[in-house]
Each structure stands twice: as C-alpha cells, then as structure tokens.
Amino acid sequence: MEKSLNWREFVITRLIKASGYSAILFVALIFFFLVREGIPTFKEVEASSLLNIRWYPIEGHFGILPLITGSLIVTIGAGLVAVPFGIGTAVYISEIAPRWMREILKPLVELLGGLPSVVLGFLGFLVLSPFLRVFLDLPTGLTALAGSLLLGGIAVPTVVSVAEDALDAVPRAYREGAWALGATRWQTIWRVTFPAARSGVLTAVMLGVGRAIGETMTVMMVTGNAPVLAVKLGSLFSPVRTMTATIAAEMGEVANGSTHYHVLFFIGMVLFLISLGVNIAASSVVFRAKKRAERILS
Amino acid sequence: MNRFIPLAITLLVLVFTVSCGPASSSAEAASDSSAAYIENKGSDTIVNLALAWAEKYQSDHPEIRISVTGGGSGTGIASLINGTVDLANASRKIKDEEIDEAKSNGIEAVEHIIARDAIAVIVSPENPVNELTLKQISDIYSGKISNWSEVGGEDRPIVRLSRETNSGTHVYFLETVLRLSSKEDKTLFSMDTLLLPSSEGIIAEVRQNPNAIGYDGLGYVPKDLKTIAIAEEEGGAYVLPSIPTVNDKSYPIARDLYMYTDGEPTGILKEYLDWILAPEAQQIVAELGFVPALLTPSPSP
Amino acid sequence: MKGALPINRHVAQRVGFTAITLMAFATVLPIVAVVIYILIQGLPAISLEFLTGFPHDGMRAGGILPAIIGTIYLTVGTAIFSVPLGIAAAIYLSEYASDTPLTRTIRIAIINLAGIPSVVYGLFGLGLFVLFLNFGTSILAASLTLSIMTLPVIISTAEESLRSVPQAFRTVSISLGATRWQTIRRIVLKEALPGILTGVILGLERAAGETAPILFTGAAFFLPRLPHTPFDATMALPYHLFVISTQVPEMPIQIQYGTALVLLVFVLTMNLIATVIRSRARAKRQW
C-alpha cells in the first residue's frame, strides 16, 4: 500500500514537472519550424531583394518592406487609440469609479476582449469603412485607420486589465500619504499612484501593442491589403497590407516547398521575433522595476 | 462544483447525439461508411458553381459525397500537386512550373474545360462612365490614369480594386488586360491597388464607393452594379459581357474555366465530370451567370 | 504655483474626472453598441431551422448546423489537449518550482506563447501537424494548434488561482501527514478550482472565436456531412462567417448577421459562465 502510493506520487510528480517544461518545448518547437521553413528563403531569394518596395509574389517580387511598414502603421495607430482609452479606463475603474460601477465595467471590458476578431472585421467593412469614407471624405474607407480603430479596440481590454492590476497594486499608504499632505484625488492619481504603477502600465501598453501587431482577420477585412510603402502620416488614411494579412491570404495557395512558401514562413519568423522582442522588453521592465522596489524597501 | 460535471457530460452527450443522429438534410440519411468521397478545391470564381453542382449531384446520387472549398486557383492547383485533392478548380490555366512540379510529385495534371466566364469591369451605379477601351482599363490599373476625369467621368480619384494574387481571375486580368496579352510586357498592377480577399469585398466596395473600379467574373456581379462596355481597340464597338457576346468572341475579356485531375478520371470521378459537361449541369452554369462550355466548340489544350 | 489657489486644483479635478469618465464610457459604449447592433440585425435570421439545419442553395439558405457543431468539436478538442497540460504546468509553477533561471525561462516562454500572432500559430500548425505529422487538414490538427495557443492563458490564470490559496492550507495538510500530491489534489486544487475553471473557459472562448489558426489546419468551406473522425476537416463558425461575408455572392445579409450573432452568443455565453463562476467563488471564499 505504502509502496504503490509512493510510486504513484513519483509518476505524477514527474508528469507535472514535464508539463511545466512543456511551455519551453512549444516555444522552441514553433521557432524551430518557422526557421526550418523560413531560412531556405535565403537560398532562393537575394537577401537584399527582400528589402525591395514591391511585394508581388506571383512574379517573383518579394519585397517585404511594404508589409512591415503596413503592420507598423496600423499598430502605431492602434496604440494611439488603445493607450489613452485603455489607461484612462483603467484609471477610472481603479481610482474614480464607485464600487458598483466597477462591477459592471470590468466584465464589460473583458467582454470586449472576447469578441472574435472576425466579427469585428465583418462589422468593420460593413459599417466602419463606409462611415470613414463619407465622414473623412476619403477615396475609400478600407484604410490603415479602419484597422487601427478596430485593433485599438481589441488591444484596449489587455491594456485595461494589466494597467488596472498595476494601479490596484500600489499600496494604499501612498495615496493616503498624498491626501494627508493636502493633494486632491486627481493630483494624487497623476503625481503619486500612476508613477508608482508606471512599470506595470508600461507592461500593459506593450502587451496591448503586442496583441495589435499580431491581429490577422480584422486587418485582412478592413485595411484594403494594398502593398504600399506606408511611411507618410497620410498613409494612415490609405490602404495598407500587413504581414499577418499577407500570410493568411496567401498561405493557402502556395505549393509546398516553393519560394513563396518559404518567404511566407520567413515573414512568420519576423513576426515571431518581433513579438519575442516586445515580450522580453516588457518582462525586463517589470524585472528591473522589481529590483528597484526591493532596493527602496530594504 | 460537482453538480456541474454531470450537467456538462449530459450536454456533451446531447451534442454528439445530434451530430450522429439523422440530420434534416436528406442527403445525410445515407449510410456514410459506404459513401464515396470527392474532394473539390480551388478557384473562388468557380466555388459557388462547384457548390451548386455538388448539391444537385448529391441530391440525385445520395451515395456520393462531395466537399467543396475555395482558396483561389493557386490553392486548388497546389493541393493537386500535393496530392490532397481529387478535383482542382482553376480559373486560369495551370502554369508550366506547376505542371513540372506536379510531375516531380508523380502527379499528371489533366485539364477539363467545364465552363466559360466573362470578366466584367464594374463601377458604382453613380459613376457616369459607361464605356472604356481595353487600353484605358490597362492604364487605369497600372497607375497611368488616376482620375475619373481623364476617362470622361467626374473629378474623382480612382480607387482600384482587385482580387488577391492567388486568384486565377487576378492572373488572367494581369495577362489579358494589364499586359494586353503580350508575353513580353511586364506591366504590374499599381502598388496602391487594393487586393481584396474575395469577390464580395469588391462588390461591396464598388457598390457604395463612387470612386471605385473593380473586376470579377460575370457570375459574381449583381444586377445593381454598373458593368462597363469594353472596346477591344480604340474606335471599336463597345460591348457588354453576356452569353452571346462571349460565344461570338466580341467581348474581349472572356476565358475558360478549368477543372484539373490527376491523370484521366476513372470511376465516380469520371461519372461526375461527365455529368458536369452534360446539358443539365451546364444549365446550372447559365443560371449562375457563367457561360456554358458546351455551346462553344473551344479547342482543348 | 499649482497648489497655491485651492479653486484651481478642484476645478482641475472636476475637469479631469469628467474627461476620464467620458473616456471610460467611450471605451465601453462601442462594445455595448456592437452587441446590440448584431443582435438587432441577426435576430430575424434565427430560427430552429437555422440552428439545426444544413446549408442549402449554395449556403444562401438553410441552417448553419455544421458550423456550430464544428466549433463545438474544435472547442472540445482544444480542451482535451490544453486543459490537463495547462493545469499540470500551472501546478508545477505554483507548487513545485523554485526561483531558478530555469523557472524564469519557463515564465518567459509562457509570456511569449501568449504573444505569438494567431496566424503564426496557423503556420506552425500547418508545418507540424498537417504536413510533418501528416494529420492533414483535420479537426485533430486544428485542435492541437488551438490548444498550444490556449495554453498560456490557462497556465497563467490557473497558476494565479493556485497561488492565491493560502499557504496555511498546505502546511496544515502536510502536518497531518498527507503527501505533497495528496495535498495538492485534495486541498489546493479543490480550493483553486473556480479560478482555474474561469481561466479555462476564458481560454476556450478565445479558441472558439479564432479564425487564423484553423485557416490552414482544419477549416473547410463546405462539407456535405458532419465530420465523423478527428481526421476529417470541419466547418466552423468564425471561418463560416468569414466565408459567407466575403466569398459567396448574393448572400442574404440577414444570414451573415445571423451567423455573427450565433458566434457572438456562443462566445459571450462562455464569458458569462466564467464571470458567474468567478464572482460566486469570490463570495463563497473563506479566506
């Protein structure tokens, strides 16, 4: 009896340990596959031609620069939407709203995070782009702007929940100290609480941006998918083509092992590395902030 | 918590029963283990026609199951090369490189012309322009002409809409219109051409945007959109696309629609293809706005 | 000096609070508007036939049953793979792991998995499950792809849940002679279950609504019958909505909105269940 119990415990513990390591396994596996299918690009395409400004794969033009700028401009636009609204909402929920309002708002924001991207894309091209075209007098409403607005909406719940946690985590003593010194609640929020939660809020923004850069269906349905080099401010009001939409739109047609196939995996690799970079930056911010806090408290 | 587990299990069992039990469609009633399966994939231009055919054929032959998927001509041909599909739909001819690649996989692509299609160039009903020459359309799409006033319309910027590069329609338009069928011509679409992932995207945008110009198979153009009459040459007659003008070749941009198989088809695949080329199926072709293959004695490749 | 005139400070606060409040409502209002709009536009399409019938007439009429069933299959499939693995990994991180570089690497890996774009998961699923392991375009390949995508959500919420169980529970159990695993299974896990369940449901909700990962791994445009084995491809609600709103000509707009509504209801119901579980657990909590 004793022996079988120990043996079961042993096996289960081993399984649990293995599960723990599985996350690393999957990340490595994903990276491995992306690299395995993406690296052959360099055997078949001139590395410098990847930096061309024309993307027309069926005729051998593999310039990914327009795709990168497309993703960038939509993401930056999304950030401009998600950051103020996300942080503002987080501040409202955590510092200003009465308790009953919090209980309503928090689930509502979470709901936004659950809306499928294809539904938002669907409404986007049925309702949002025509509206933008008429309202802003543009040639077409299928633009980076439409994508940014929707992506901002998708990123907001991430920003709100992480930022709100960060603001919540600021010890009450900070606020009370400020009030005791005569500061108004408003002044306290912006001069005391917010700076104290700064690293958490930064993490929230980075995670939200990470979410935006990775969106696929929504951008594929509303940004027009034109592979233009988006480097001017006005590009926000023109159609663009993102890396994610390119993969989704073209992956189905490629023959296994063709050059186009490899280039698409290469783009996937680029996306993976970008999100890796953002995440490492985000966690190092938190890490460094923790160390600073430890120094202060000790 | 423990109360929920039996509830969840009951729900799951219900779901599986619904799915495995007799469903409302009569085609489902046949025993599936003995059903023969045909996988049909490819061109988004052909997909709705293929679906209509599949539905009719299955209702007459309940022991056959046909699954239909889109994805573009490129997708269908790629699947044929990978050996994952029985019937590849393509709105463009298979390329030489693709034939070679198929051969290296042991696949021999055999072509069947199953219908014909006119490419309609469409604009918003609010657009005053009614006619264009082929060259004008080529210049519009390559970026040389950017304002409607240059072709007799209002002073509005031209918003160019196109299908995605994996679409056979796109490739056909590139070769026949942009490059005016010249093999040496290397003209490309203007970089700011919107590449929409589907026909409906183009239709929806053209319908409500007076600046837009688009193109697609005639079978996809609803009645409320304006089709441009096209003259092959400057000074020639402007012709609207229709079954007669495609058949007498007066409409300049019309093409064959293909299905490719691995080798000559046998068994149920052969029966299906024979049925497709028979009058009953070709009637469906006409109903959907395409041009029946049988009426034109088009030369086989 | 800002603080010198008390009136200025309070006016600033009034203005500031109003602005922030407006901002918060501006964020939330569109959500409500979207749901209500789809509800209004889609409700006319909903009928028993719509929910239980097969599509007819080139999918322009009839029902969307295969898409609904397909999504259910995919969600269940995702749960089968991601839930046990995710909870086990969370147990490891919460109960067994110490703060070593290895553990920190695991955490970074989890954050990274969470950040990978959904279409990259689709590529990965295509490369590994569909092609390399030769599962083909199948429910199996799609579920596996979706489960790896769902894993980080389940692991982080489950871990947080486990961690929130007071240490006292564990120490008492050990002091009574239970082994570590017995403690986890009978005490910690049971207490953390509502939180874990919430995380699981939220993770599955996301998997149910995703299109990109299933695009090349399992989704089909039209299938004449329901999938019978995990190796069959399947229709699915998000992909179906994408297809009928973009690929099929003359698709009645009502059916599009109806499909969007069904997907929305599916997803929001899961959200609701998760929220209810969480608040009820919080109320019942004894610590």
Side-chain angles (χ1 to χ4, degrees):
Chain A
M1 174 64 188
E2 206 34 60
K3 200 153 183 213
S4 77
L5 201 65
N6 275 341
W7 183 85
R8 248 184 50 179
E9 173 106 2
F10 178 73
V11 167
I12 291 183
T13 313
R14 273 284 170 273
L15 282 174
I16 291 185
K17 279 212 169 117
S19 310
Y21 301 154
S22 67
I24 303 184
L25 170 70
F26 287 127
V27 175
L29 207 58
I30 294 177
F31 188 58
F32 169 70
F33 261 92
L34 291 175
V35 167
R36 189 177 104 135
E37 304 291 347
I39 286 292
T41 309
F42 293 111
K43 279 190 288 189
E44 305 176 10
V45 175
E46 271 277 340
S48 58
S49 78
L50 285 171
L51 293 176
N52 281 348
I53 59 172
R54 187 172 268 272
W55 172 262
Y56 199 63
I58 56 175
E59 300 254 316
H61 297 270
F62 292 114
I64 62 177
L65 226 44
L67 308 178
I68 296 182
T69 61
S71 287
L72 264 178
I73 201 171
V74 170
T75 307
I76 293 178
L80 291 175
V81 168
V83 166
F85 282 95
I87 297 185
T89 310
V91 166
Y92 179 74
I93 291 182
S94 119
E95 307 290 321
I96 303 178
R99 163 138 281 174
W100 58 271
M101 181 66 78
R102 284 181 71 159
E103 298 303 311
I104 299 181
L105 279 187
K106 281 192 74 162
L108 267 180
V109 173
E110 213 170 64
L111 213 103
L112 178 62
L115 286 180
S117 53
V118 65
V119 172
L120 288 177
F122 169 69
L123 280 182
F125 87 77
L126 274 182
V127 176
L128 184 61
S129 346
F131 172 73
L132 284 179
R133 179 178 55 89
V134 172
F135 188 63
L136 295 174
D137 199 25
L138 301 167
T140 170
L142 297 170
T143 55
L145 181 62
S148 293
L149 288 174
L150 289 174
L151 285 197
I154 292 185
V156 155
T158 312
V159 175
V160 168
S161 80
V162 179
E164 201 246 325
D165 280 346
L167 287 166
D168 237 15
V170 173
R172 207 174 160 70
Y174 283 43
R175 294 185 189 82
E176 290 173 347
W179 296 337
L181 290 172
T184 61
R185 279 169 65 202
W186 181 249
Q187 285 174 317
T188 313
I189 293 175
W190 295 110
R191 293 176 183 225
V192 178
T193 318
F194 194 75
R198 200 174 39 213
S199 67
V201 170
L202 194 59
T203 310
V205 168
M206 281 199 252
L207 289 177
V209 164
R211 179 99 207 255
I213 214 174
E215 248 308 309
T216 310
M217 297 315 288
T218 322
V219 285
M220 195 161 102
M221 292 165 100
V222 304
T223 58
N225 296 320
V228 214
L229 205 58
V231 283
K232 308 173 296 217
L233 185 60
S235 300
L236 194 61
F237 300 100
S238 337
V240 292
R241 189 182 183 84
T242 61
M243 292 188 277
T244 46
T246 303
I247 297 179
E250 300 180 11
M251 197 61 212
E253 82 131 340
V254 287
N256 235 357
S258 65
T259 309
H260 193 182
Y261 174 85
H262 291 306
V263 176
L264 287 179
F265 267 91
F266 176 69
I267 298 180
M269 223 170 84
V270 171
L271 279 169
F272 179 86
L273 290 172
I274 292 180
S275 82
L276 188 76
V278 167
N279 282 314
I280 291 191
S283 22
S284 80
V285 162
V286 172
F287 192 53
R288 269 187 295 135
K290 241 186 22 166
K291 296 216 120 179
R292 202 185 329 131
E294 282 165 7
R295 267 185 276 134
I296 295 175
L297 290 169
S298 60
Chain B
M1 271 314 121
N2 287 328
R3 291 174 293 148
F4 283 110
I5 298 183
L7 178 67
I9 296 183
T10 319
L11 277 172
L12 273 175
V13 169
L14 264 168
V15 165
F16 284 113
T17 329
V18 164
S19 60
C20 294
S24 54
S25 157
S26 60
E28 257 275 307
S31 88
D32 294 301
S33 52
S34 60
Y37 212 74
I38 299 181
E39 287 257 12
N40 185 353
K41 190 172 183 178
S43 164
D44 288 325
T45 301
I46 301 180
V47 78
N48 290 288
L49 180 57
L51 189 52
W53 278 338
E55 275 182 358
K56 183 80 179 68
Y57 196 72
Q58 279 171 120
S59 72
D60 294 339
H61 304 258
E63 73 286 3
I64 311 277
R65 293 265 170 276
I66 307 174
S67 90
V68 178
T69 310
S73 305
T75 309
I77 295 180
S79 300
L80 188 70
I81 296 176
N82 290 339
T84 55
V85 91
D86 298 308
L87 213 51
N89 303 330
S91 57
R92 59 159 170 89
K93 253 181 157 20
I94 191 172
K95 296 187 208 164
D96 292 328
E97 315 89 79
E98 289 167 331
I99 298 182
D100 293 335
E101 202 155 349
K103 280 216 185 80
S104 68
N105 276 11
I107 308 268
E108 191 213 330
V110 173
E111 183 177 285
H112 312 266
I113 299 178
I114 44 109
R116 307 204 63 221
D117 185 27
I119 303 283
V121 175
I122 47 177
V123 297
S124 155
E126 287 175 31
N127 194 326
V129 175
N130 289 322
E131 332 172 304
L132 291 169
T133 65
L134 216 53
K135 181 90 177 56
Q136 281 175 315
I137 302 179
S138 169
D139 287 340
I140 288 178
Y141 267 97
S142 62
K144 297 204 186 83
I145 298 180
S146 290
N147 194 299
W148 281 109
S149 56
E150 299 176 59
V151 289
E154 303 167 328
D155 178 23
R156 286 174 175 279
I158 302 185
V159 175
R160 306 165 187 83
L161 303 173
S162 161
R163 295 284 306 280
E164 271 279 356
T165 55
N166 63 345
S167 152
T169 314
H170 174 109
V171 173
Y172 176 77
F173 198 78
L174 176 73
E175 292 171 350
T176 317
V177 178
L178 267 129
R179 298 181 173 170
L180 296 170
S181 303
S182 146
K183 286 256 190 273
E184 289 79 44
D185 196 329
K186 287 292 170 210
T187 313
L188 294 173
F189 280 86
S190 157
M191 279 209 287
D192 62 1
T193 311
L194 278 73
L195 301 173
L196 300 186
S198 70
S199 308
E200 272 320 279
I202 298 184
I203 303 292
E205 182 66 11
V206 169
R207 181 180 278 133
Q208 43 98 1
N209 189 344
N211 305 322
I213 184 172
Y215 66 86
D216 215 336
L218 189 57
Y220 281 82
V221 177
K223 309 287 182 294
D224 59 330
L225 253 54
K226 181 191 278 203
T227 313
I228 296 276
I230 303 183
E232 192 158 359
E233 310 261 316
E234 186 75 46
Y238 290 98
V239 182
L240 279 173
S242 68
I243 294 185
T245 58
V246 167
N247 283 331
D248 66 21
K249 301 212 193 310
S250 57
Y251 187 69
I253 34 180
R255 57 182 177 163
D256 293 329
L257 296 176
Y258 309 95
M259 275 186 175
Y260 288 94
T261 51
D262 174 21
E264 285 296 339
T266 57
I268 48 164
L269 201 54
K270 178 166 187 345
E271 283 172 25
Y272 187 48
L273 268 170
D274 286 342
W275 177 84
I276 285 179
L277 294 172
E280 186 189 2
Q282 292 296 315
Q283 177 61 30
I284 298 181
V285 169
E287 281 168 15
L288 262 79
F290 295 93
V291 178
L294 274 186
L295 296 178
T296 33
S298 44
S300 317
Chain C
M1 233 15 265
K2 211 152 188 203
L5 285 158
I7 301 170
N8 269 354
R9 283 193 305 152
H10 291 289
V11 166
Q13 170 154 302
R14 271 274 146 81
V15 170
F17 273 28
T18 317
I20 294 271
T21 312
L22 283 174
M23 214 175 236
F25 279 102
T27 312
V28 166
L29 227 53
I31 308 170
V32 178
V34 161
V35 175
I36 294 183
Y37 186 70
I38 294 187
L39 192 66
I40 296 179
Q41 299 277 39
L43 211 49
I46 306 292
S47 64
L48 196 60
E49 205 224 327
F50 189 68
L51 296 172
T52 59
F54 269 67
H56 297 302
D57 191 23
M59 304 206 284
R60 294 186 199 88
I64 54 171
L65 183 70
I68 298 178
I69 298 284
T71 298
I72 294 179
Y73 280 175
L74 286 174
T75 312
V76 168
T78 308
I80 292 178
F81 294 114
S82 60
V83 170
L85 189 58
I87 296 184
I91 293 178
Y92 173 73
L93 285 172
S94 153
E95 310 292 318
Y96 288 86
S98 43
D99 192 19
T100 63
L102 182 61
T103 315
R104 262 174 275 153
T105 316
I106 297 182
R107 289 193 197 284
I108 294 184
I110 294 176
I111 296 184
N112 272 304
L113 279 181
I116 296 180
S118 52
V119 74
V120 174
Y121 274 109
L123 271 183
F124 168 66
L126 176 69
L128 177 60
F129 300 120
V130 175
L131 296 173
F132 187 71
L133 292 177
N134 213 15
F135 291 155
T137 312
S138 56
I139 296 181
L140 185 61
S143 300
L144 286 168
T145 311
L146 285 171
S147 11
I148 305 186
M149 195 184 82
T150 314
L151 216 50
V153 175
I154 296 186
I155 297 181
S156 18
T157 41
E159 194 206 337
E160 205 184 290
S161 229
L162 289 163
R163 274 192 191 283
S164 72
V165 175
Q167 193 59 19
F169 283 42
R170 294 179 188 84
T171 31
V172 166
S173 168
I174 304 264
S175 71
L176 289 172
T179 65
R180 199 177 210 175
W181 172 243
Q182 281 175 327
T183 309
I184 296 175
R185 181 158 72 92
R186 291 168 190 250
I187 314 274
V188 180
L189 212 50
K190 223 166 72 154
E191 291 296 322
L193 204 57
I196 295 180
L197 219 52
T198 310
V200 165
I201 296 180
L202 289 177
L204 292 179
E205 168 194 342
R206 178 148 180 228
E210 280 289 338
T211 321
I214 61 175
L215 266 180
F216 336 115
T217 54
F221 179 81
F222 172 77
L223 293 174
R225 62 168 186 193
L226 291 171
H228 275 229
T229 73
F231 289 98
D232 290 338
T234 178
M235 292 168 74
L237 280 171
Y239 184 66
H240 194 73
L241 177 61
F242 175 65
V243 155
I244 65 174
S245 65
T246 58
Q247 319 273 42
V248 186
E250 323 236 345
M251 172 68 68
I253 193 76
Q254 242 185 24
I255 295 197
Q256 299 179 42
Y257 274 108
T259 311
L261 181 59
V262 171
L263 177 58
L264 210 57
V265 165
F266 193 89
V267 157
L268 293 185
T269 311
M270 293 176 85
N271 205 310
L272 196 67
I273 296 179
T275 312
V276 163
I277 294 179
R278 183 168 50 198
S279 45
R280 278 182 48 173
R282 231 169 243 173
K284 274 184 12 184
R285 211 192 309 214
Q286 290 153 349
W287 67 86

